[in-house]
Amino acid sequence: MSAKTLYDKLWDNHLVKQRDDGSALIYIDRQLLHEVTSPQAFEGLRLAGRKPWRIDANLATPDHNVPTTNRAAGVSGIDDAVSKLQVVTLDDNCNEFGIVEFQMTDRRQGIVHVVGPEQGATLPGMTIVCGDSHTATHGAFAALAHGIGTSEVEHVLATQCLVAKKMKNMLVNVEGKLGFGVTAKDVVLAVIGKIGTAGGNEHAIEFAGSAIRDLSVEGRMTICNMAIEAGARVGLVACDQKTIDYVKGRPYSPKGADWDAAVSTWQDLVSDANAHFDTVVELDAAAIKPQVSWGTSPEMVVAVDALVPDPQQEVDAVKRSGYQRALQYMGLEANQPITSIKLDRVFIGSCTNSRIEDLRAAAVVAKGRSVSPSIKQAMVVPGSGLVKEQAEQEGLDVIFKEAGFEWRDPGCSMCLAMNPDKLLSGEHCASTSNRNFEGRQGNGGRTHLVSPAMAAAAAIAGHFVDVREMMNQEVSA
Amino acid sequence: MKAFTQHTGLVAPLDRANVDTDQIIPKQFLKSIKRTGFGQNLFDEWRYLDEGLPGVDCAERPLNTDFVLNQPRYQGASVLLARKNFGCGSSREHAPWALEEYGFRTILAPSYADIFYNNSFKNGLLPLVLAEEDIDELFAQAEAEEGYQLTVDLQAQLVTRPDGKTYSFEVDAFRKHCLLNGLDDIGLTLEDADSIKAFEQKHQQSQSWLFGAIQ
Ligand code: SF4
């Protein structure tokens, strides 16, 4: 038998039927549901008189529209009537079809991509879908996970299968040791800077190499989360002992004999030594510095010690005009140092960086310091109610509050500003989220993507700074 | 789903690469629980000068007259000419819903983001891929000539210019079949219900922990 990639194995293990035209029916083990992309799917089921194929394959939670304050009031705490209707509709649909949902007042509620792994609803070897492009996050567990559209949400509800076409295999190999103060977020931003936002189109990307193996599982989630920003629906990391340890003992993880059986099958969730990849990209971990995005696409990213690029230096005409438009939108000058960009707001949160390790990394920088008076708002939004509890047990909330950060309730929040947390036009935000598109964090808002530590450092300085300098001071203090 | 066989329509050239789905339909309009009503907010931030809010009548809003779709010569366009990596970013199916409701039946671009590409087919919107040089050529023509129209024939897999020149394009046989006949995917998949059940049984025997945990 020929050597297989991890993606090939996951695909083969779920192949129900291969059709002659290259498309296939793939069996789906888990579907995560949230309020934005599911209402039309449930409506479709109802209109066609169909029932979900397998109720226990689904798990739901509202995240995009939930406010990050006044949560005790539950749904009635949502001021915006349209947002409220969407959350209520999810509650109603889950009730009607018998799907388990963590509602707004449940302490397990949170961003779907934080909740799945936290509950053990995400397991190695699974196929996982959600009507949300950042479903790629779950690939950190050697699971085949990707975003789908609403018609497909309905399709999976009704048939437990997805019509899919096999993707190509891409290997992103990050070898070597990451420098002090350089995080998973910097790695993935550097990858996107290198291959571009379309670099992974039609591919499943496996992230490998010693630098990836050295990362924690949460760091790997940050990396896979942004595979979609490199154009790939799927990001993957091989299963190892860290993966297994992370999954162990979670509420929906297998127990007893099931656990042993599961672990023995999970051992095989790695690419075979001679497996063929259609595209291979190599990165030197030691060369990666803390990254800051300057433009309106995640590929418009440079190291913190660099200058904002000059469009005149760009030979490709379409790219040059894209750069010019981005500079204009962002209110930046060509060749200005990244560290000279002044900030109005700071957002630490989102499915990219709102897990406990992210909050710890930001707290290390915030500890004993204060948010610059020039910053209008710096907020920390944990990814789930359980992350929030854990952080509070560790006293992180106190560190943040003492430094002048706001400590909020879990949800997507300012990552996409569907709830009341948003940027005003023209404001610059250091954000740990994943998208710096025009208007993403509020109409006219200017987003700069960074790691949690870099965001915290920027909050303190009022502009971008190399967090490594701040951390050095920490050591000597 | 609306079937797509052959279509002739006015071409609107949108000369930007990496147009993301947040741009196609901004997030504030995703709060709807319906599949309709998105057309008036297609490209909202480019199309209007004020901030777009759900539930507001767009007929009253100030238009950005610089934006291509607002120019008189492109009124009634149903063929969208676009640049590479069109539809990147969020998986929202609201993007093809908005394009379709606005009146676009087909898009021509050098490449698309995968999820958007997939979603389009499920909504009777044909995203077709032509070589970058061909797209450049069509941009030049569509911008030079007012009332420029193209004909897209899905059966023959051909795009035809007013001067008779044609470009052929590739499309999956399965997607083509569904689109030509306006077929619902779910019904088709359920014809294989026995295979799904057989697979599921085997799967459960070998990996029982994948079943029943969430109740
Ligand atoms: S945190 Fe942001 S990217 Fe993640 S699911 Fe929510 S809105 Fe999407």
Side-chain angles (χ1 to χ4, degrees), chain B residues 140-210:
Chain B
Q141 293 213 333
E143 281 163 3
E145 216 177 287
E146 213 167 315
Y148 188 79
Q149 296 203 341
L150 287 172
T151 297
V152 174
D153 184 340
L154 178 56
Q155 184 61 52
Q157 299 181 209
L158 278 183
V159 178
T160 309
R161 289 192 340 200
D163 60 6
K165 179 169 173 181
T166 59
Y167 306 89
S168 66
F169 60 90
E170 296 293 316
V171 57
D172 284 357
F174 179 70
R175 285 186 168 130
K176 177 175 171 181
H177 174 73
C178 290
L179 202 51
L180 280 173
N181 299 291
L183 287 177
D184 159 11
D185 267 17
I186 297 180
L188 278 172
T189 299
L190 286 174
E191 288 176 8
D192 285 318
D194 289 342
S195 315
I196 303 174
K197 280 186 196 133
F199 176 91
E200 192 167 55
Q201 243 170 24
K202 227 176 55 209
H203 201 50
Q204 185 164 12
Q205 272 160 16
S206 63
Q207 300 179 61
S208 56
W209 61 87
L210 295 175

Side-chain angles (χ1 to χ4, degrees), chain A residues 132-190:
Chain A
D132 191 292
S133 57
H134 292 101
T135 310
T137 312
H138 309 263
F141 293 85
L144 176 52
H146 60 74
I148 55 177
T150 297
S151 295
E152 291 172 314
V153 172
E154 182 182 341
H155 189 279
V156 174
L157 279 169
T159 70
Q160 211 51 51
C161 287
L162 191 67
V163 179
K165 212 176 162 183
K166 197 160 178 214
M167 304 173 204
K168 290 188 264 187
N169 280 289
M170 177 184 280
L171 180 70
V172 171
N173 206 26
V174 192
E175 285 294 345
K177 271 216 157 343
L178 289 179
F180 166 76
V182 180
T183 68
K185 181 66 163 284
D186 303 304
V187 173
V188 72
L189 285 172

